[in-house]
């Protein structure tokens, strides 16, 4: 089972570096977001990495969707 954080090997494959300082520099140069562990290891989320690599596209859900158009409305123009 995959974890939510990229492993050391996966991060080395993406950045091309095994040294954590060079990995952080690579991530900073490309404006990737990451969190550092207490051991200065860059922690990159798996879904974020997939999005940055173009494997998935983010979907934005509008919190205020437009009102639904009714299928039928009564015609009151002929009512007296």
């Amino acid at each position: 089972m995959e974890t939510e954080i990229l492993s050391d090997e996966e991060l080395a494959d993406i950045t091309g570096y095994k040294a954590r300082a060079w990995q952080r520099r690579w991530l900073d140069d490309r404006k990737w977001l990451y969190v550092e562990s207490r051991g200065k290891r860059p922690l990159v989320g798996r879904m974020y990495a997939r999005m940055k690599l173009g494997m998935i596209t983010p979907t934005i859900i509008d919190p205020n969707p437009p009102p639904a158009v009714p299928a039928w409305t009564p015609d009151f123009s002929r009512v007296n």
Side-chain angles (χ1 to χ4, degrees), residues 8 13 15-18 24-25 27 36-37 42 44-45 47 52-53 57-58 61 65:
D8 290 331
D13 286 343
T15 62
Y17 299 105
K18 287 191 177 192
R24 288 192 304 272
R25 180 177 287 174
L27 294 168
E36 285 185 6
S37 69
V44 179
M47 294 302 284
K52 291 292 276 186
L53 294 172
T57 56
I61 299 173

Side-chain angles (χ1 to χ4, degrees), residues 2-17:
E2 294 180 336
T3 61
E4 295 297 317
I5 303 295
L6 294 179
S7 68
D8 290 331
E9 295 81 25
E10 290 171 322
L11 194 55
D13 286 343
I14 290 173
T15 62
Y17 299 105

Side-chain angles (χ1 to χ4, degrees), residues 6 13 15 19 25 27 30 33 42 45-46 48-49 56 62-64 79-80:
L6 294 179
D13 286 343
T15 62
R25 180 177 287 174
L27 294 168
R30 286 153 183 82
L33 299 177
R46 184 169 305 281
Y48 180 76
I56 60 172
D62 187 7
N64 300 318
V79 176
N80 291 333

